[in-house]
């Protein structure tokens, strides 16, 4: 049974006597935490405390009910607001209900009893939502979301450890790795293992958005802000409020917007394009890039202050060619899932197919592997996937050899890493096999060019 959490109520009422009456009545439930505010300004300043329920006096000394309700709903769209007014005006009640008020009560001798019943219903609904959210978190932690991040290689075990540590906090995470290594899967794994699992996960590929639309995409815009802005649009930062925002290919963000993003992250509030009002937000930020972001800083293409703001906890994903037998583990998982989804009989990889997969460098990494084995499952004539069923392309850019576009140092590192993986990290055996000094290998390990278990 899920423990009962305190139900936080804000009472916004400028009449001290009536406000204290409401506080006393609602406080009779020991599970209620009730706070009273005499002005709209005082209430709005404390919305960061995330109340579960708000009673709102329609006529406040510093604002009208419509204005206050609109601001509350913009910042906390999920909170229920009950409007209490001395005016028995049908038009006003209808207007407030259209703006999102839970209900509209007129102050009379029955108000307290009706209020008590309404709060009871809202509290029960909130409890059911919390229980459902807890179940969703448990499912997310157990199964994740989408394709699981599989891997038994020591480098991937280290990645899993970092994911677990990141999920315990709200620290910004920067994920690096070649295209196709699974950077978005890492972001999703962190989100669905965190306390924000039931909140939105919003992913934005910075490289896929036209430059003139990036600012509107991130920050939103007001109606009429530019040609084609026919209505207000909430930006991705607001859309991800309470959850996780994943900015992929962050290195593609142009310098002028880098400065704006830095300010927004520092202030934790955003102003929509064409607007004046600031909107507070609360997001866990995860960024990713296939480039060396520090090299981009040194080249003057990326702001140094933004780099350090985004660095947070760095997670580096290894390319598939450096993950040893993980290629077979992933291939078998992809084949099994594909056959289940498409109602195909189970397929198995032949020894020849397994050997070809092990030998292929996979410049497209896990994404390429998935595409290759799924197509092979379709092409296979029987239950066994043969080597000829695998549509592997030779002569790709990262293939080790004279035709490679890798530098000599990168090719040397790849060869040594491959041997280390094959020999379970036995440095002496690798040194003997490659005829190089063991001190050279140890130095490469110390400089983090090589990884061992």
């Amino acid at each position: 049974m899920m423990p009962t959490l305190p139900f936080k109520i804000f009472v916004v009422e400028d009449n001290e006597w009536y406000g204290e009456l409401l506080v006393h009545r609602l406080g009779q439930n020991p599970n209620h935490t009730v706070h009273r505010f005499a002005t709209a300004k005082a209430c709005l300043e404390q919305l960061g405390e995330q109340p579960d329920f708000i009673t709102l006096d329609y006529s406040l000394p510093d604002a009208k009910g419509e204005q206050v309700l609109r601001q509350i709903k913009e910042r906390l769209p999920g909170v229920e607001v009950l409007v209490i007014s001395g005016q028995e005006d049908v038009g006003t009640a209808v207007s407030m209900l259209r703006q999102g008020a839970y209900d509209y009560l007129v102050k009379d001798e029955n108000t307290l009893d009706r209020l008590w019943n309404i709060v009871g219903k809202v509290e029960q609904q909130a409890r059911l939502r919390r229980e459902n959210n807890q179940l969703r978190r448990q499912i997310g932690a157990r199964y994740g979301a989408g394709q699981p991040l599989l891997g038994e290689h020591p480098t991937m075990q280290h990645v899993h450890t970092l994911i677990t540590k990141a999920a315990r906090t709200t620290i910004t995470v920067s994920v690096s790795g070649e295209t196709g290594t699974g950077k978005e899967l890492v972001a999703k794994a962190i989100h669905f293992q965190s306390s924000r699992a039931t909140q939105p996960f919003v992913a934005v590929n910075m490289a896929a958005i036209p430059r003139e639309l990036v600012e509107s995409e991130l920050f939103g815009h007001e109606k009429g802000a530019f040609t084609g802005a026919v209505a207000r649009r909430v930006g991705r930062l607001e859309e991800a409020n309470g959850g996780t925002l994943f900015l992929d290919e962050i290195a593609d963000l142009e310098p002028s917007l880098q400065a704006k993003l830095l300010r927004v992250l520092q202030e934790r509030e955003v102003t929509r394009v064409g607007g004046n009002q600031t909107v507070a937000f609360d997001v866990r930020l995860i960024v990713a890039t296939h480039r060396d972001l520090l090299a981009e800083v040194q080249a003057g293409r990326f702001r140094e202050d933004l780099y350090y703001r985004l660095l947070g906890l760095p997670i580096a994903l290894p390319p598939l060619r450096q993950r040893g037998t993980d290629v077979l583990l992933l291939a078998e998982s992809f084949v099994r899932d594909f056959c289940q989804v498409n109602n195909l009989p189970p397929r198995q990889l032949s020894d020849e197919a397994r050997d070809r997969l092990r030998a292929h460098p996979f410049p497209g990494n896990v994404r390429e592997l998935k595409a290759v084995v799924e197509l092979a499952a379709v092409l296979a004539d029987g239950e066994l996937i043969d080597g000829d069923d695998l549509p592997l392309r030779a002569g790709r850019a990262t293939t080790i050899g004279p035709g490679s576009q890798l530098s000599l140092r990168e090719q040397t590192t790849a060869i040594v890493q491959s041997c280390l993986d094959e020999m379970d990290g036995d440095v002496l055996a690798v040194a003997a096999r490659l005829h190089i000094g063991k001190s050279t290998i140890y130095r490469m390990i110390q400089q983090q060019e090589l990884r061992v278990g």
Side-chain angles (χ1 to χ4, degrees), residues 196-228:
R196 297 172 177 251
T198 61
Q199 300 302 313
F201 175 86
V202 178
V204 184
N205 188 332
M206 305 305 297
I209 306 172
R211 290 191 173 187
E212 63 273 13
L213 296 180
V214 172
E215 185 174 6
S216 170
E217 186 76 13
L218 290 179
F219 309 143
H221 64 252
E222 297 290 352
K223 180 179 179 180
F226 51 83
T227 302

Side-chain angles (χ1 to χ4, degrees), residues 74-112:
E74 285 180 350
R75 293 173 58 180
L76 296 176
V79 71
E80 299 293 3
V81 181
L82 173 68
V83 179
I84 301 179
S85 173
Q87 304 178 36
E88 192 171 351
D89 182 76
V90 176
T92 301
V94 171
S95 174
M96 299 298 284
L97 292 172
R98 283 177 175 173
Q99 290 185 48
Y102 183 83
D103 206 341
Y104 183 97
L105 296 184
V106 177
K107 293 178 181 178
D108 58 26
E109 67 274 10
N110 298 317
T111 301
L112 294 181

Side-chain angles (χ1 to χ4, degrees), residues 34 179 191 212 260 271 321 351 368:
V34 189
T179 299
H191 173 75
E212 63 273 13
K260 292 182 179 180
T271 302
R321 61 183 174 277
D351 290 341
E368 179 187 358

Side-chain angles (χ1 to χ4, degrees), residues 229-263:
V230 296
R232 168 187 284 178
R233 184 187 187 283
V234 171
R236 295 306 185 95
L237 280 161
E238 289 184 72
E239 186 182 338
N241 191 39
T244 300
L245 178 65
F246 174 56
L247 299 180
D248 198 6
E249 300 302 348
I250 188 65
D252 283 43
L253 188 64
E254 63 178 36
S256 63
L257 288 177
Q258 291 175 22
K260 292 182 179 180
L261 179 60
L262 177 64
R263 184 196 61 78

